[in-house]
Amino acid sequence: MHHTPAIPGHNECMIVLVPEHVHAELSPSVSALPVTLIPYSEEGPPPERADEAVAVFRWVAGKRYESLVVDAPPVRWLHTASAGVDHVLTRRLRQRGGFTLTDSGPAFGICIGEYVLTWMLAVSHRVPELLASQTRREWAQKLTHEELSGQTVGILGLGPIGQAIAQRCRALGMTVLAFRRSDRPAENVTTIFTGPEGLKTLLTVSDWVVVATALTGETRSLLGAAEFAAMKPSARLVNVARGPVIDEQALIAALREGRIAGAVLDVFTQEPLPEESPLWDLPNAYLTPHNSPGWTVGLRRRQLELFMGNLRRFVAGEPLEGVVDIERGY
């Protein structure tokens, strides 16, 4: 259930801690609110009045937020600019409790949705091979391409990012299937699958499997040897979620042995991906350095807008958006 953190009386000015590199951008937006934004850095001493803060805004790679929340008893709300929260919910924060966590999942839908479609189109239309041919000055006219239209994509996870991917795949004429905890219908999705048998069914019929689920105890190693064996030999995998959702060694074996046709991987069990990883040398693996968000100007704008929208709700005592179920991890 979504709930709103307890807040000070309306006549009091709330102390809200924000990363120093966004402080100047946010300050004009709070001029009409009973809020004092105090910038904090990732290093050095904590800012003045940090122990009076009622809310903390964490940027994507920030780590200072943990001590700011733990050391400030008044904090009742933590907002992260990231989509996933597996790395945000540290042991100390779970032990501390007593706060609401909100994330920025909707901000990432456009950029990650476009990333997924970029690579699906690039692989289907042989862009990597064509670029290699250009480098060699070869006229590779006889390469056979594929059309995404008419193919089936199975999306694992149907949060804001999964839904954005579904919308774009549907627009290209693909049949869109999805796997998630709930079987309630979703826009742009033909069929929702749940449970282990549902996952297996989705895998057996999908030409593309896109992993967009949160990393939790339930989804860790969700895809392993048995799941890759269930996929079509012609199917391809795209992972824009978290590396540990996939058994990486099982994936390497499946790619080496041709049990699946290929994989586009933006996330890995260990990041940066070690130089000795076999993935670097697999011709049917396309690797990017966890940059599916692209860190675009539009993404940054949406991240700040999401925070400001929730800050206004927080001040007004209204329900916050993007509330994370801390027990479930998403």
Side-chain angles (χ1 to χ4, degrees), residues 120-249:
M120 290 173 70
L121 287 165
V123 172
S124 296
H125 289 278
R126 312 294 290 274
V127 172
E129 293 99 318
L130 289 168
L131 290 176
S133 296
Q134 178 182 343
T135 301
R136 296 190 300 265
R137 301 190 178 210
E138 293 178 356
W139 192 254
Q141 191 175 32
K142 294 184 179 180
L143 281 177
T144 301
H145 296 214
E146 299 173 30
E147 296 175 348
L148 290 181
S149 180
Q151 293 196 31
T152 296
V153 58
I155 302 172
L156 311 187
L158 209 53
I161 294 172
Q163 291 179 29
I165 295 167
Q167 179 187 27
R168 286 156 179 76
C169 289
R170 184 69 177 271
L172 287 184
M174 302 185 76
T175 298
V176 182
L177 313 178
F179 172 79
R180 67 175 179 185
R181 175 190 291 267
S182 166
D183 63 357
R184 69 181 183 277
E187 193 173 355
N188 297 306
V189 178
T190 303
T191 307
I192 304 287
F193 294 94
T194 62
E197 286 304 312
L199 175 60
K200 183 177 180 180
T201 300
L202 177 145
L203 294 174
T204 60
V205 300
S206 295
D207 299 298
W208 293 84
V209 175
V210 180
V211 185
T213 185
L215 176 62
T216 68
E218 293 179 79
T219 63
R220 188 175 293 273
S221 297
L222 180 67
L223 298 183
E227 286 71 32
F228 296 130
M231 291 172 61
K232 297 179 179 181
S234 59
R236 299 183 181 93
L237 176 78
V238 181
N239 189 6
V240 290
R242 290 288 186 266
V245 175
I246 292 174
D247 180 334
E248 203 164 273
Q249 293 307 308

Side-chain angles (χ1 to χ4, degrees), residues 12-58:
E12 299 179 43
C13 197
M14 303 178 189
I15 303 298
V16 177
L17 304 179
V18 301
E20 59 183 357
H21 65 91
V22 299
H23 180 261
E25 291 175 78
L26 293 173
S27 292
S29 302
V30 301
S31 58
L33 298 175
V35 169
T36 297
L37 295 184
I38 295 182
Y40 70 87
S41 65
E42 289 297 318
E43 300 177 355
E48 292 185 12
R49 302 184 68 186
D51 59 346
E52 301 174 42
V54 297
V56 175
F57 181 18
R58 170 196 177 269

Side-chain angles (χ1 to χ4, degrees), residues 104-118 161 164-165 168 240 291-300 302-303:
S104 300
F108 290 80
I110 293 174
C111 47
I112 296 183
E114 290 186 1
Y115 168 95
V116 170
L117 260 294
T118 294
I161 294 172
I165 295 167
R168 286 156 179 76
V240 290
N291 71 342
S292 56
W295 312 115
T296 63
V297 173
L299 171 61
R300 182 184 177 90
R302 292 188 296 274
Q303 288 169 308

